[in-house]
Amino acid sequence: RTPLQALDFPAGYKTVMGIAEIAPGASSGRHTHPGIETGYILGGEVVMSIDGQPDQTLKAGDSYQIAAGVPHDVKSTGAEPAKAIATYVVDASKPLASPAK
């Protein structure tokens, strides 16, 4: 992840915008965030696995959202790296991401 902006808002939360890149065939690893994540796929293709939902194939131009604390993983499936811009609104007292069991 490459953070682009971060601000302390709303009270007790941090809003972070960043670019995530995943090499072809690689995955982000199963993890959670202490708040919501919304994003937009800029390039490449991914399979997004979110607990409790069927896997989704996303490509450039698709958007997504992930609820707070829900384990998920993203795997780049295309020939080029996958790239997304993501915004997180997370509990400011916790790390942005934590490995999920």
Side-chain angles (χ1 to χ4, degrees):
R1 292 181 191 91
T2 302
L4 299 175
Q5 297 184 46
L7 60 128
D8 294 328
F9 181 81
Y13 286 82
K14 181 171 282 213
T15 301
V16 179
M17 178 186 286
I19 294 178
E21 293 186 62
I22 304 172
S27 71
S28 64
R30 202 167 135 76
H31 64 283
T32 63
H33 303 285
I36 62 166
E37 175 184 353
T38 62
Y40 180 83
I41 307 298
L42 296 168
E45 184 175 289
V46 300
V47 171
M48 184 170 289
S49 301
I50 302 171
D51 278 18
Q53 299 180 22
D55 287 355
Q56 303 172 56
T57 298
L58 304 173
K59 60 185 182 327
D62 290 336
S63 62
Y64 63 90
Q65 56 185 329
I66 303 168
V70 176
H72 58 283
D73 191 8
V74 182
K75 181 174 183 179
S76 178
T77 56
E80 63 181 86
K83 192 173 190 178
I85 189 162
T87 301
Y88 309 85
V89 181
V90 295
D91 184 327
S93 68
K94 297 180 180 174
L96 178 61
S98 299
K101 298 177 185 178

